[in-house]
């Protein structure tokens, strides 16, 4: 396990990866807190990176991501007392290719294999997810220097917790050097550059995972380990402050509220239990390096 984590961490730092709007050109470190006295407290740490290789009309790349979820079930009513899961990890990669059909049309296809587990017991039983998708992007150049793009497609993803098909529809408009906005999935935000180094950005964001976890049936000598899938999804609204310092470095601070939370336990693809979740304050801290 330690060897695997070291290899993935090195891959995240040195792999050069990215692509169209859905893939960001940066190395990032994020820490998020979703804390509520009415349900489950979520603490998330993520490190990852992506960058693109341009090969004529093709853009080819990969991305690496390590995501650690700490789950605190202090206030839940789950009847099986041993089924409090902590230290869930997602070690994911993305591989994609983007082809320029014309100067203003692009097609991008990608796959997203990942290991997602608490790495307890026989974690291989439920510890893998495989996502994939594709989309078309059309770009426009407007009078006055404004630009916009429309992205349409779909993906099979864990972005909403349990693996499912999700349509991709996103419109991005860069009005000028100060103002930009995006509407749809995977991005919805407004961006205002208040100065050369300062940006305010109201965002609708998603946090989610779908990981294999180990629980126990029974309490005494007859108890047995059982593999489950834990599905978590949180929709949050927040205000991000971004500060650009030095060359390529960016500090981000976000404060907001989780508008919707779900946390479900699955066994053999059937929902076994739903945890009570409440809306709560949301805090996000991060450091990014943009290529």
């Amino acid at each position: 396990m330690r060897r695997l984590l070291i290899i993935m961490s090195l891959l995240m730092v040195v792999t050069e990866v990215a692509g169209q709007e859905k893939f960001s050109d940066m190395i990032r470190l994020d820490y998020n807190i979703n804390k509520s006295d009415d349900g489950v407290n979520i603490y998330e740490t993520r490190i990852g990176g992506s960058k693109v290789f341009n090969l004529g009309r093709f853009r080819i790349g990969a991305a690496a991501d390590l995501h650690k979820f700490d789950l605190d079930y202090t206030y839940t009513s789950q009847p099986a007392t041993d089924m409090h899961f902590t230290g869930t990890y997602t070690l994911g990669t993305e591989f994609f290719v983007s082809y320029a059909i014309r100067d203003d049309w692009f097609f991008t296809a990608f796959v997203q294999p990942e290991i997602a587990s608490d790495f307890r017991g026989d974690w291989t039983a439920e510890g893998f997810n495989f996502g994939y998708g594709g989309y078309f992007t059309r770009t426009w150049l407007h009078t006055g220097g404004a630009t916009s793009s429309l992205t349409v497609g779909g993906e099979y993803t864990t972005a909403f917790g349990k693996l499912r098909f999700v349509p991709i529809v996103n419109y991005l408009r860069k009005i000028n050097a100060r103002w930009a906005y995006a509407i749809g999935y995977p991005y919805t935000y407004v961006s205002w550059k208040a100065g050369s180094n300062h940006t305010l950005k109201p965002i609708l964001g998603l946090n989610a995972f779908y990981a294999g976890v180990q629980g126990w049936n029974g309490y005494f000598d007859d108890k047995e380990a059982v593999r489950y899938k834990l599905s978590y999804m949180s929709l949050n609204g927040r205000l991000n402050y971004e500060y650009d310092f030095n060359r390529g470095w960016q500090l981000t601070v976000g404060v907001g509220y989780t508008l919707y939370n779900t946390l479900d336990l699955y066994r053999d693809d059937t929902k076994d239990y739903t945890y009570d979740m409440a809306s709560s304050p949301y805090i996000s801290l991060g450091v990014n390096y943009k290529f």
Side-chain angles (χ1 to χ4, degrees), residues 25-95:
D25 298 310
M26 65 175 63
I27 296 173
R28 67 187 186 281
L29 171 64
D30 298 308
Y31 183 70
N32 304 314
I33 303 173
N34 179 0
K35 188 172 177 62
S36 171
D37 288 344
D38 297 321
V40 180
N41 302 317
I42 308 293
Y43 308 90
E44 303 175 77
T45 304
R46 183 190 294 267
I47 181 172
S50 57
K51 188 173 169 50
V52 69
F53 295 100
N54 288 294
L55 303 173
R57 295 177 70 86
F58 284 92
R59 296 158 63 88
I60 298 175
D65 182 84
L66 171 61
H67 196 175
K68 181 178 184 292
F69 304 87
D70 291 313
L71 314 178
D72 178 4
Y73 286 66
T74 306
Y75 299 94
T76 62
S77 57
Q78 168 68 343
T81 56
D82 287 334
M83 297 172 70
H84 290 192
F85 312 109
T86 60
T88 304
Y89 297 85
T90 300
L91 295 85
T93 57
E94 297 173 318
F95 303 94

Side-chain angles (χ1 to χ4, degrees), residues 250-287:
Q250 183 183 78
L251 173 68
T252 65
V253 179
V255 178
Y257 201 73
T258 59
L259 306 174
Y260 178 75
N261 289 307
T262 62
L263 185 66
D264 299 312
L265 195 65
Y266 285 84
R267 184 177 181 186
D268 297 328
D269 207 36
T270 301
K271 188 183 295 186
D272 188 75
Y273 188 85
T274 297
Y275 292 88
D276 293 330
M277 295 286 290
S279 297
S280 64
Y282 179 87
I283 300 172
S284 177
L285 303 171
V287 177

Side-chain angles (χ1 to χ4, degrees), residues 106-183:
F106 302 87
F107 174 73
T108 302
F110 60 92
V111 295
Q112 297 171 316
E114 66 180 21
I115 303 171
S117 175
D118 58 1
F119 294 104
R120 295 175 60 192
D122 183 19
W123 62 269
T124 57
E126 297 289 345
F128 294 95
N129 298 317
F130 187 81
Y132 55 87
Y135 54 90
F136 292 91
T137 301
R138 169 72 192 277
T139 61
W140 290 271
L141 178 62
H142 304 280
T143 56
T147 61
S148 60
S149 65
L150 176 65
T151 299
V152 178
E155 62 179 357
Y156 186 63
T157 180
T158 59
F160 290 80
K162 189 177 187 294
L163 275 166
R164 67 195 69 188
F165 178 81
V166 178
I168 297 173
V169 180
N170 208 100
Y171 178 74
L172 170 66
R173 174 98 175 196
K174 296 180 180 178
I175 301 171
N176 51 41
R178 289 185 175 272
W179 287 95
Y181 65 87
I183 300 174

